[in-house]
DNA sequence: CCAGACGTTGTT
DNA sequence: GTCTGG
DNA sequence: CCAGACGTTGTT
DNA sequence: GTCTGG
């Protein structure tokens, strides 16, 4: 599904592309071609009234660029470590799951991405693919978020966390797996981020997109270098010929029948 | 009632 | 906090 | 998502 | 095999 992705745009650039106000205050993660759960990520949210004061000095901001930790920690969690396995939520169930329900109803967001990785099980090992737009423009992955406060007496620790949404794979993504991240076109962003409205108002967005929307996406094999968390460079996204290191691998056999 | 989980993917 | 399982 | 650990007592 | 850490 979507447990690793690339996001290389700086907050100022995201502010332009997403028509948002940057409130990261120099505290943003840098470009990263290998973002993993539990790491800081740049996120776009709407400007829910309850957030005005904290975000932008009491003024309405439209959309906001902010930093969160990937891996949703529900408000009620005693230990934020639970977030490490709450990094993805299914569109089919997100509105009902105790861990995600509140966030789906009231705190939706977008995770800007250059592309994302999927692994396909091959003979003996798994092989990664990278999916990105041919034209290089940013993807917007639908997400949900939570604001956690440490319940320990005396603690003032706060943590903003998020999770991506997944949907059944469509188009070229169906060739490499069952799931893919829920990608939203710019025309859907306002409605998705308007969390003054009920989750029912976006149920039409929480479905597999028309395959026609996926024609802009290229899916390409990449090196297994991405497996290692400490690798972060642009070469991770470069097309890679596995037969150069695994001569007997039948690449086409990894892919499903259309 | 209390205790314990709260999630996904993919594989068997 | 809320649901599920025992 | 993958990689890497997977344990305790007791001493510094 | 399964959990934790990144």
């Amino acid at each position: 599904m979507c447990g690793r992705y690339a996001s290389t745009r700086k907050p100022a650039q995201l502010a332009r592309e997403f028509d948002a106000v940057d409130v990261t205050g120099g505290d943003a993660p840098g470009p990263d071609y290998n973002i993993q759960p539990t790491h800081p990520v740049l996120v776009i949210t709407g400007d829910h009234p309850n957030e005005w004061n904290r975000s932008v000095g009491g003024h309405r901001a439209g959309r906001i660029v902010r930093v969160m930790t990937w891996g949703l920690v529900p408000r009620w969690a005693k230990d934020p470590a639970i977030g490490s396995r709450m990094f993805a939520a299914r569109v089919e169930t997100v509105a009902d799951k105790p861990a995600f329900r509140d966030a789906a109803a009231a705190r939706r967001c977008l995770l800007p991405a250059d592309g994302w990785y999927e692994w396909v099980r091959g003979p003996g090992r798994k092989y990664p693919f990278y999916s990105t737009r041919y034209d290089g423009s940013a993807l917007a992955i639908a997400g949900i978020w939570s604001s956690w406060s440490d319940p320990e007496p005396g603690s003032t620790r706060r943590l903003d966390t998020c999770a991506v949404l997944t949907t059944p794979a469509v188009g070229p993504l169906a060739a490499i797996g069952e799931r893919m991240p829920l990608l939203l076109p710019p025309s859907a962003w306002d409605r998705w981020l308007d969390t003054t409205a009920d989750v029912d108002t976006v149920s039409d967005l929480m479905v597999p997109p028309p395959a026609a929307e996926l024609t802009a996406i290229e899916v390409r094999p990449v090196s297994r270098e991405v497996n290692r968390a400490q690798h972060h460079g642009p070469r991770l996204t470069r097309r890679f010929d596995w037969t150069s290191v695994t001569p007997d691998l039948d690449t086409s056999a990894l892919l499903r029948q259309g």
Side-chain angles (χ1 to χ4, degrees), chain A residues 144-180:
Chain A
I144 55 176
W145 66 282
S146 171
S147 188
W148 178 82
S149 296
D150 189 345
E152 281 302 302
S155 174
T156 58
R157 183 149 84 111
R158 280 187 59 259
L159 197 58
D160 288 340
T161 62
C162 60
V164 298
L165 266 60
T166 71
T167 187
V170 168
L173 280 308
I176 61 167
E178 300 290 331
R179 310 289 300 180
M180 59 179 248

Side-chain angles (χ1 to χ4, degrees), chain A residues 237-254:
Chain A
T237 66
R238 211 159 290 156
R239 177 178 289 278
F240 184 80
D241 178 11
W242 296 321
T243 59
S244 66
V245 293
T246 311
D248 50 345
L249 181 71
D250 179 358
T251 304
S252 63
L254 290 181

